[in-house]
Short mmCIF file of all heavy atoms in Angstrom, two decimals:
data_model
loop_
_atom_site.label_atom_id
_atom_site.label_comp_id
_atom_site.label_asym_id
_atom_site.label_seq_id
_atom_site.Cartn_x
_atom_site.Cartn_y
_atom_site.Cartn_z
N ALA A 1 -1.67 12.24 -9.96
CA ALA A 1 -2.76 12.74 -9.21
C ALA A 1 -3.07 11.92 -7.97
O ALA A 1 -4.06 12.27 -7.23
CB ALA A 1 -4.08 12.81 -10.08
N GLY A 2 -2.19 10.99 -7.67
CA GLY A 2 -2.44 10.10 -6.45
C GLY A 2 -3.43 9.10 -6.64
O GLY A 2 -3.99 8.74 -5.63
N SER A 3 -3.72 8.61 -7.92
CA SER A 3 -4.78 7.61 -8.13
C SER A 3 -4.68 6.40 -7.13
O SER A 3 -3.57 5.82 -6.95
CB SER A 3 -4.62 7.19 -9.54
OG SER A 3 -5.67 6.09 -9.72
N GLY A 4 -5.78 6.17 -6.47
CA GLY A 4 -5.75 5.02 -5.55
C GLY A 4 -5.29 5.30 -4.21
O GLY A 4 -5.41 4.48 -3.18
N ASN A 5 -4.62 6.42 -3.97
CA ASN A 5 -4.04 6.78 -2.72
C ASN A 5 -3.06 5.68 -2.29
O ASN A 5 -3.20 5.20 -1.15
CB ASN A 5 -5.03 7.04 -1.73
CG ASN A 5 -4.48 7.59 -0.37
OD1 ASN A 5 -3.26 8.05 -0.32
ND2 ASN A 5 -5.36 7.72 0.68
N PRO A 6 -1.91 5.37 -2.94
CA PRO A 6 -1.05 4.24 -2.61
C PRO A 6 -0.34 4.56 -1.30
O PRO A 6 -0.06 3.61 -0.48
CB PRO A 6 -0.05 4.14 -3.79
CG PRO A 6 -0.16 5.43 -4.47
CD PRO A 6 -1.56 5.98 -4.25
N LEU A 7 0.04 5.80 -1.02
CA LEU A 7 0.63 6.01 0.27
C LEU A 7 -0.26 5.88 1.55
O LEU A 7 0.12 5.38 2.49
CB LEU A 7 1.25 7.51 0.30
CG LEU A 7 2.27 7.80 -0.82
CD1 LEU A 7 2.76 9.21 -0.66
CD2 LEU A 7 3.47 6.75 -0.83
N GLY A 8 -1.54 6.15 1.26
CA GLY A 8 -2.62 5.94 2.35
C GLY A 8 -2.77 4.45 2.43
O GLY A 8 -2.90 3.85 3.62
N GLN A 9 -2.79 3.73 1.37
CA GLN A 9 -2.85 2.16 1.42
C GLN A 9 -1.64 1.63 2.20
O GLN A 9 -1.88 0.72 3.12
CB GLN A 9 -2.99 1.61 0.13
CG GLN A 9 -4.19 1.93 -0.66
CD GLN A 9 -4.14 1.17 -2.06
OE1 GLN A 9 -3.94 0.09 -2.21
NE2 GLN A 9 -4.34 2.05 -3.15
N ILE A 10 -0.52 2.02 2.09
CA ILE A 10 0.68 1.53 2.77
C ILE A 10 0.59 1.84 4.22
O ILE A 10 0.80 1.06 5.15
CB ILE A 10 1.89 2.18 2.18
CG1 ILE A 10 2.21 1.56 0.78
CG2 ILE A 10 3.14 1.83 3.09
CD1 ILE A 10 3.31 2.40 -0.06
N GLN A 11 0.21 3.16 4.54
CA GLN A 11 0.06 3.50 5.92
C GLN A 11 -0.93 2.66 6.73
O GLN A 11 -0.63 2.28 7.90
CB GLN A 11 -0.27 5.03 6.09
CG GLN A 11 -0.30 5.60 7.51
CD GLN A 11 1.17 5.73 7.98
OE1 GLN A 11 1.99 6.29 7.37
NE2 GLN A 11 1.30 5.09 9.18
N HIS A 12 -2.07 2.40 6.00
CA HIS A 12 -3.18 1.75 6.72
C HIS A 12 -2.88 0.20 6.72
O HIS A 12 -3.32 -0.53 7.61
CB HIS A 12 -4.54 2.11 6.19
CG HIS A 12 -5.01 3.42 6.62
ND1 HIS A 12 -5.72 3.54 7.81
CD2 HIS A 12 -4.90 4.70 6.07
CE1 HIS A 12 -5.91 4.87 7.96
NE2 HIS A 12 -5.37 5.56 6.85
N ALA A 13 -2.10 -0.31 5.77
CA ALA A 13 -1.75 -1.72 5.86
C ALA A 13 -0.92 -1.90 7.17
O ALA A 13 -1.13 -3.01 7.78
CB ALA A 13 -0.92 -2.08 4.61
N HIS A 14 -0.12 -1.01 7.52
CA HIS A 14 0.66 -1.06 8.80
C HIS A 14 -0.14 -0.75 10.07
O HIS A 14 -0.09 -1.43 10.93
CB HIS A 14 1.86 -0.07 8.66
CG HIS A 14 2.63 0.12 9.95
ND1 HIS A 14 2.15 1.11 10.83
CD2 HIS A 14 3.61 -0.49 10.65
CE1 HIS A 14 2.99 0.99 11.91
NE2 HIS A 14 3.84 -0.01 11.64
N ASP A 15 -1.05 0.24 9.74
CA ASP A 15 -1.76 0.82 11.07
C ASP A 15 -2.92 -0.12 11.41
O ASP A 15 -3.23 -0.30 12.66
CB ASP A 15 -2.23 2.20 10.85
CG ASP A 15 -1.15 3.22 10.73
OD1 ASP A 15 0.12 2.86 11.05
OD2 ASP A 15 -1.54 4.37 10.38
N ASP A 16 -3.57 -0.66 10.48
CA ASP A 16 -4.83 -1.35 10.61
C ASP A 16 -4.82 -2.97 10.34
O ASP A 16 -5.78 -3.56 10.77
CB ASP A 16 -5.92 -0.73 9.83
CG ASP A 16 -6.16 0.85 10.04
OD1 ASP A 16 -5.55 1.31 11.02
OD2 ASP A 16 -6.59 1.43 9.11
N TRP A 17 -3.89 -3.36 9.56
CA TRP A 17 -3.99 -4.70 9.02
C TRP A 17 -2.97 -5.63 9.44
O TRP A 17 -2.89 -6.78 8.97
CB TRP A 17 -4.04 -4.56 7.51
CG TRP A 17 -5.27 -4.05 7.02
CD1 TRP A 17 -5.82 -2.69 6.99
CD2 TRP A 17 -6.48 -4.71 6.55
NE1 TRP A 17 -7.07 -2.51 6.48
CE2 TRP A 17 -7.56 -3.81 6.32
CE3 TRP A 17 -6.80 -6.09 6.35
CZ2 TRP A 17 -8.78 -4.18 5.80
CZ3 TRP A 17 -7.99 -6.43 5.77
CH2 TRP A 17 -9.01 -5.48 5.61
N TYR A 18 -2.22 -5.28 10.47
CA TYR A 18 -1.16 -6.11 11.07
C TYR A 18 -0.23 -6.69 9.99
O TYR A 18 0.32 -7.72 10.05
CB TYR A 18 -1.87 -7.39 11.87
CG TYR A 18 -2.92 -6.88 12.74
CD1 TYR A 18 -4.22 -6.78 12.37
CD2 TYR A 18 -2.56 -6.64 14.05
CE1 TYR A 18 -5.23 -6.37 13.32
CE2 TYR A 18 -3.58 -6.21 15.01
CZ TYR A 18 -4.89 -6.04 14.51
OH TYR A 18 -5.86 -5.64 15.46
N ALA A 19 -0.01 -5.91 8.85
CA ALA A 19 0.77 -6.33 7.85
C ALA A 19 2.27 -6.39 8.10
O ALA A 19 2.82 -5.42 8.91
CB ALA A 19 0.52 -5.46 6.61
N ASN A 20 3.10 -7.23 7.57
CA ASN A 20 4.49 -7.08 7.68
C ASN A 20 5.17 -6.97 6.23
O ASN A 20 6.29 -6.79 6.11
CB ASN A 20 5.20 -8.29 8.30
CG ASN A 20 4.88 -9.66 7.56
OD1 ASN A 20 4.45 -9.72 6.44
ND2 ASN A 20 5.05 -10.77 8.25
N THR A 21 4.14 -6.77 5.19
CA THR A 21 4.59 -6.78 3.82
C THR A 21 3.69 -5.90 2.98
O THR A 21 2.45 -6.00 3.26
CB THR A 21 4.67 -8.17 3.18
OG1 THR A 21 5.47 -9.04 3.95
CG2 THR A 21 5.10 -8.16 1.78
N VAL A 22 4.13 -5.13 2.10
CA VAL A 22 3.24 -4.52 1.01
C VAL A 22 3.84 -4.92 -0.38
O VAL A 22 5.05 -5.05 -0.53
CB VAL A 22 3.13 -3.00 1.17
CG1 VAL A 22 2.34 -2.63 2.29
CG2 VAL A 22 4.59 -2.35 1.22
N ARG A 23 2.95 -5.31 -1.28
CA ARG A 23 3.32 -5.56 -2.64
C ARG A 23 2.87 -4.40 -3.57
O ARG A 23 1.66 -4.20 -3.62
CB ARG A 23 2.58 -6.83 -2.90
CG ARG A 23 2.87 -7.34 -4.45
CD ARG A 23 2.12 -8.71 -4.60
NE ARG A 23 2.11 -9.14 -6.12
CZ ARG A 23 1.10 -8.94 -6.95
NH1 ARG A 23 0.08 -8.30 -6.48
NH2 ARG A 23 1.21 -9.31 -8.14
N LEU A 24 3.79 -3.81 -4.19
CA LEU A 24 3.52 -2.56 -4.93
C LEU A 24 3.36 -3.05 -6.41
O LEU A 24 4.30 -3.55 -7.03
CB LEU A 24 4.56 -1.64 -4.71
CG LEU A 24 5.08 -1.18 -3.40
CD1 LEU A 24 6.22 -0.06 -3.51
CD2 LEU A 24 3.89 -0.71 -2.60
N GLN A 25 2.19 -2.79 -7.07
CA GLN A 25 2.01 -2.98 -8.48
C GLN A 25 2.61 -1.93 -9.17
O GLN A 25 2.04 -0.73 -9.12
CB GLN A 25 0.44 -3.27 -8.75
CG GLN A 25 -0.15 -4.43 -8.06
CD GLN A 25 -1.67 -4.52 -8.50
OE1 GLN A 25 -2.49 -3.56 -8.36
NE2 GLN A 25 -2.13 -5.68 -8.93
N VAL A 26 3.67 -2.05 -9.89
CA VAL A 26 4.40 -1.05 -10.51
C VAL A 26 4.30 -1.19 -12.02
O VAL A 26 4.68 -2.13 -12.66
CB VAL A 26 5.85 -1.04 -10.09
CG1 VAL A 26 6.54 0.17 -10.74
CG2 VAL A 26 5.90 -0.82 -8.50
N GLY A 27 3.77 -0.09 -12.71
CA GLY A 27 3.62 -0.13 -14.19
C GLY A 27 4.93 -0.14 -14.84
O GLY A 27 5.72 0.85 -14.85
N VAL A 28 5.30 -1.27 -15.63
CA VAL A 28 6.50 -1.25 -16.43
C VAL A 28 6.61 -0.15 -17.41
O VAL A 28 7.61 0.51 -17.41
CB VAL A 28 6.69 -2.61 -17.02
CG1 VAL A 28 7.94 -2.68 -17.94
CG2 VAL A 28 6.86 -3.79 -15.95
N PRO A 29 5.61 0.19 -18.15
CA PRO A 29 5.70 1.25 -19.16
C PRO A 29 5.84 2.61 -18.53
O PRO A 29 6.39 3.47 -19.04
CB PRO A 29 4.47 1.16 -20.00
CG PRO A 29 3.90 -0.29 -19.82
CD PRO A 29 4.27 -0.56 -18.45
N LEU A 30 5.27 2.79 -17.25
CA LEU A 30 5.37 3.98 -16.58
C LEU A 30 6.74 4.31 -16.12
O LEU A 30 7.29 5.46 -16.22
CB LEU A 30 4.41 3.97 -15.45
CG LEU A 30 2.97 3.68 -15.74
CD1 LEU A 30 2.14 3.84 -14.43
CD2 LEU A 30 2.47 4.59 -16.83
#
């Protein structure tokens, strides 16, 4: 269902936060 909007977080990390890195929390059981 897109919980937390991770794609939006990535886009805005780049667009608004001067980021050069994103760290994705990935569920091992998932």
Side-chain angles (χ1 to χ4, degrees):
S3 177
N5 190 8
L7 300 182
Q9 292 181 53
I10 292 167
Q11 187 70 54
H12 284 274
H14 170 269
D15 292 351
D16 306 339
W17 288 78
Y18 309 91
N20 61 17
T21 304
V22 288
R23 174 177 174 267
L24 311 180
Q25 293 179 315
V26 179
V28 172
L30 305 182

